[in-house]
Amino acid sequence: MNSRKLLGILVVSLLLVVPRPGRAQELNLSTLDEGPVNRAHLRTGAEYGFVVGVGYARALPLVDRHIMLTGDITFPWATPDISDYRVRIGGLAPIVGQRHWRLAGTLAPTMRSTRNDVARMTGVGIDFGLLGGYYARHWFAAGEVGFDWVVTTHVSHSDRYRQVVYAEARDGWYGLPGGNLRGGVQIGGSFARYDLVLRAGLLRNSSGESPLFPIYGTLTFDTRW
Amino acid sequence: MKRHSLHYLLAGLALAGCLDPDEPGNLVPATVDEDPSLPRIEVAGALFHCQSFGAPEAPTVMVLHGGPGADYRGLLPLKALADDGYRVVFWDQRGTGLSQRFDSAEYTLPGYLEDLRLVIEQTVPPAQPFVIIGHSWGAMYATWFINEHGDYGGRLRGAILSEPGAFTKAQLDDYLDRLMGSVDLTGEDFNDALWADQFMSAGDHARADYMSAFFALPATPSDHIDRANPAPFWRVGAVVKSKLLNLADEQGFDWTTNLATFTHKVLFLRGDLNEAATLEHQQMLAASYPNAEMVTLANVGHEMIWERPDEYLAHTRAYFQSIGFVEGVQ
C-alpha cells in the first residue's frame, strides 16, 4: 500500500472517531466535571514490556457534560531505543452515571513503531475501551475492558532476517494483522490536584491466546491545573 | 449495525492494497503443501520436507534437528558426510521447517515418536544399518526412540547426541530453568519481542511462526551463538513447539528406562560455552547410556554444527570409524 492510501485510511479513521469519546484513561471520573481543565500524567509499569509514558489531557464541555481529549506517548524503558514508541491521540467521554457509579467510553487512534532483529514495524490502529466503577471524591475502584485493534502494520524486514531466515520475505503494509484484548481493574486515590492510579489486568490476542507477556500493570501519577 | 459498518469500512480500506499476513510466502516461507517444488516424503498422510545426499545403498546417517519446532537448515554442513560414502537424510519433523503444519490437537507424543520410525522405514532400505545424529531436541528425540526401540533389530549402530536438554521430565525442568534463567528480563532482545506483540497477533499458523522468530532470532543467551555467523532456519514451528512442551509438561516422560539395553557406543558432542548444557549436565545424561563417550569442543556454543563444521565432522568421522560404521558395512 502506498503512502497516499495509508494517509487516506488515517484521515477517514480520524474523521470517524472525532465525534466519539477517546482513549483509555486512568483518572477519577468524579473529578471530570470539576475546575481544572488541564491534566498531565506520568505512567510507568509493564505493558508489552517495561514502559514509561507521558501525556496531556484537556477537559472540554460538550452539551451537559465534559469529555476529555488526550495525547500520550509511551516508550519501553528497559533498553531505551528511539525506534520503539507508541503514540495515542484520543479521548474519553462519560456514558452513564451522575454520582458515584459511572461508566465511560474511550477511543484512540494509535500509531506505534519498533525496530528489532526481525524487522522495522509501524502499526496503525484504534484502541476501544470501557471503564466503569465506583468513583468517590478521594478514591475510586473500577473495571476496564478494551480492544487494541491493529488496522495495518508496515513491515520492513531486516537484513538479518533475510540472511538467517527468509530472503524472500515481503515488505509492505499488512492488513488486519491482529490486536489485543484487555480486561482488568483500576484503583486510585485523589489528593488535592493529584491522582495516583494503579491498573492491572490480563491481555489476550485476537485469537484468545496469551501474548508473550500476558499481563499488564501500570502506575500513573496525574496532576491537574 | 453502525459499529459493524465502521469495522467493514475500515477493514475494506485497510485491505485495499495491503498484504495478507497469512498468505504463504509473505512473512515465512511456503511449506511443502504450499510449494510443490520442495523435496518431500509422505508419511502417514503427512508431508515432510526431506532431502537425502549420497548413494541410496550407502550406510545412512539420520539427522534429527533441534527445537522442538526448529528445522534442519542449520545442520546442512553434515551433508559433507555424503562425500565420505554415507547417505545423509535430513527431514523437518512434523509441523516444523518446511514440513506441513497441523493444528495443535493433531499432535500427540506417541504419534511424534511413530513419525521417526516411519521416516526411518521409508528412507533407510531394510537391509541397511544407520546411525542417528541428533542436535539438542533431536538428541532427546533420538534417545526417546532408542528407549522405545533399542537398536531397532540391530540396524541402529550408534548415535551422536549433541547437547540434549533432558531425558526425563525432572531433568527438563532443571534444564529449562537454566535456559530461561539466562534471559535478561530487562534486556533489549526480550523487550523487543514483548513490544512486537502490539503489531501483529499469532492468529494464524504463519503469523504464529513469524512472531516466534522475534524470540528465536536473537537466540537464548546461554546458548552462546556466534551473532556474526548465526545458524539459519526456515521457520519456527510455533504450534508444534508449544504443543510438545505442553504435552511433556502435562504427561511427564522418562526416556531412560530401557537405555541400559543399548550397548552400542554413543558419542556426546558438546560445546564448552553452553551454559545450560554444561559438562556436568551432559555427563549426567550420558550416564543413562552404558557405553557413552563425551567430547567437548572448545570456544563454541550450542550451534556447533553450523559454527564449527570441520571439527564436528572430524569427530563424527572418528566416531564412525570407532564403531565400524563405514562404507560397505552390513
Side-chain angles (χ1 to χ4, degrees):
Chain A
M1 185 170 62
N2 61 34
S3 57
R4 296 184 71 176
K5 284 183 178 174
L6 175 65
L7 185 61
I9 290 172
L10 285 172
V11 168
V12 171
S13 300
L14 289 170
L15 288 174
L16 286 167
V17 303
V18 160
R20 306 182 67 149
R23 84 169 282 286
Q25 286 285 327
E26 300 99 324
L27 84 164
N28 188 336
L29 291 178
S30 71
T31 66
L32 187 59
D33 297 324
E34 295 179 356
V37 297
N38 298 296
R39 293 170 183 257
H41 69 257
L42 173 67
R43 181 197 310 114
T44 189
E47 192 173 19
Y48 308 105
F50 300 106
V51 296
V52 62
V54 294
Y56 169 78
R58 185 176 177 85
L60 297 174
L62 181 68
V63 193
D64 60 343
R65 62 189 65 188
H66 283 81
I67 64 170
M68 184 77 75
L69 298 182
T70 69
D72 181 281
I73 185 164
T74 300
F75 302 92
W77 57 253
T79 50
D81 181 346
I82 59 169
S83 301
D84 298 342
Y85 63 84
R86 181 184 68 205
V87 177
R88 282 178 171 160
I89 299 173
L92 170 150
I95 298 175
V96 293
Q98 287 295 325
R99 290 180 57 80
H100 293 311
W101 293 96
R102 295 170 184 249
L103 177 70
T106 66
L107 191 148
T110 303
M111 191 176 93
R112 45 174 62 94
S113 171
T114 190
R115 183 169 57 190
N116 53 46
D117 277 1
V118 172
R120 171 147 198 156
M121 306 172 88
T122 303
V124 178
I126 302 174
D127 186 287
F128 307 87
L130 285 172
L131 61 154
Y134 186 86
Y135 292 86
R137 177 150 186 80
H138 293 295
W139 66 276
F140 70 91
E144 65 169 14
V145 293
F147 182 50
D148 188 0
W149 183 36
V150 188
V151 178
T152 180
T153 291
H154 186 271
V155 180
S156 179
H157 288 97
S158 67
D159 291 342
R160 185 175 178 84
Y161 185 73
R162 294 187 183 285
Q163 289 162 5
V164 178
V165 186
Y166 185 33
E168 306 302 320
R170 294 184 69 183
D171 290 350
W173 289 97
Y174 282 86
L176 303 182
N180 288 293
L181 298 152
R182 67 177 177 277
V185 295
Q186 298 185 6
I187 55 172
S190 301
F191 311 96
R193 296 192 168 190
Y194 307 106
D195 291 341
L196 195 62
V197 182
L198 181 67
R199 294 168 66 227
L202 298 174
L203 297 168
R204 291 288 182 272
N205 67 26
S206 49
S207 300
E209 297 175 353
S210 298
L212 268 178
F213 201 68
I215 59 174
Y216 65 91
T218 62
L219 184 66
T220 302
F221 175 73
D222 180 286
T223 183
R224 290 162 275 167
W225 72 92
Chain B
M1 185 63 192
K2 190 174 179 181
R3 173 163 287 193
H4 285 163
S5 300
L6 172 65
H7 281 209
Y8 290 137
L9 177 58
L10 287 176
L13 285 168
L15 288 170
C18 283
L19 298 166
D20 180 355
D22 303 332
E23 185 177 322
N26 276 354
L27 294 170
V28 291
T31 51
V32 285
D33 50 318
E34 298 161 342
D35 180 356
S37 70
L38 293 169
R40 85 276 308 278
I41 56 174
E42 183 172 347
V43 173
L47 293 176
F48 292 154
H49 178 226
C50 181
Q51 283 177 286
S52 60
F53 301 87
E57 66 277 9
T60 299
V61 178
M62 174 67 57
V63 179
L64 301 181
H65 65 72
D71 57 57
Y72 71 73
R73 189 176 174 192
L75 306 182
L76 281 171
L78 296 174
K79 71 182 180 183
L81 293 168
D83 298 333
D84 300 340
Y86 299 100
R87 180 162 177 264
V88 190
V89 176
F90 298 92
W91 61 292
D92 287 335
Q93 297 156 22
R94 182 179 290 259
T96 73
L98 303 184
S99 287
Q100 183 180 1
R101 298 179 177 96
F102 292 90
D103 289 335
S104 179
E106 298 187 47
Y107 296 103
T108 66
L109 292 179
Y112 221 76
L113 180 62
E114 181 66 358
D115 280 346
L116 173 52
R117 194 188 70 79
L118 292 175
V119 168
I120 291 168
E121 285 299 307
Q122 183 154 336
T123 59
V124 185
Q128 279 186 6
F130 66 98
V131 161
I132 294 176
I133 298 180
H135 177 245
S136 192
W137 150 255
M140 297 168 62
Y141 199 13
T143 296
W144 185 14
F145 179 86
I146 292 168
N147 194 58
E148 188 73 21
H149 297 289
D151 68 3
Y152 205 52
R155 293 171 64 193
L156 178 59
R157 300 298 172 84
I160 299 177
L161 306 181
S162 288
E163 300 188 343
F167 297 155
T168 69
K169 172 67 166 53
Q171 292 169 351
L172 182 64
D173 290 343
D174 288 342
Y175 176 74
L176 291 179
D177 282 349
R178 281 197 300 280
L179 196 70
M180 300 315 295
S182 73
V183 175
D184 180 0
L185 297 182
T186 60
E188 182 169 9
D189 292 339
F190 183 65
N191 280 270
D192 277 349
L194 299 183
W195 192 250
D197 266 333
Q198 300 175 87
F199 296 79
M200 198 171 283
S201 300
D204 175 85
H205 278 288
R207 273 182 286 159
D209 297 342
Y210 182 69
M211 297 299 289
S212 292
F214 286 89
F215 204 63
L217 193 54
T220 310
S222 62
D223 285 349
H224 282 275
I225 69 156
D226 179 0
R227 286 185 69 90
N229 179 30
F233 58 93
W234 284 298
R235 171 178 75 86
V236 179
V239 172
V240 66
K241 176 180 183 176
S242 172
K243 183 59 181 284
L244 288 185
L245 288 172
N246 285 342
L247 287 173
D249 190 50
E250 292 165 7
Q251 300 178 13
F253 63 95
D254 183 350
W255 299 331
T256 66
T257 52
N258 300 316
L259 293 183
T261 64
F262 189 77
T263 55
H264 300 278
K265 182 178 172 183
V266 176
L267 175 64
F268 281 70
L269 200 43
R270 60 175 292 274
D272 72 343
L273 297 182
N274 192 328
E275 294 179 76
T278 61
L279 176 61
E280 295 73 20
H281 171 255
Q282 293 295 289
Q283 286 173 330
M284 176 188 67
L285 298 186
S288 296
Y289 283 98
N291 185 10
E293 178 185 348
M294 182 76 60
V295 170
T296 299
L297 303 183
N299 300 315
V300 69
H302 195 52
E303 296 297 342
M304 68 200 85
I305 296 174
W306 179 259
E307 296 176 17
R308 297 289 181 80
D310 292 341
E311 281 180 68
Y312 194 95
L313 286 165
H315 287 291
T316 297
R317 290 170 181 130
Y319 168 72
F320 286 172
Q321 289 289 330
S322 73
I323 63 171
F325 187 69
V326 294
E327 194 172 3
V329 66
Q330 291 296 319

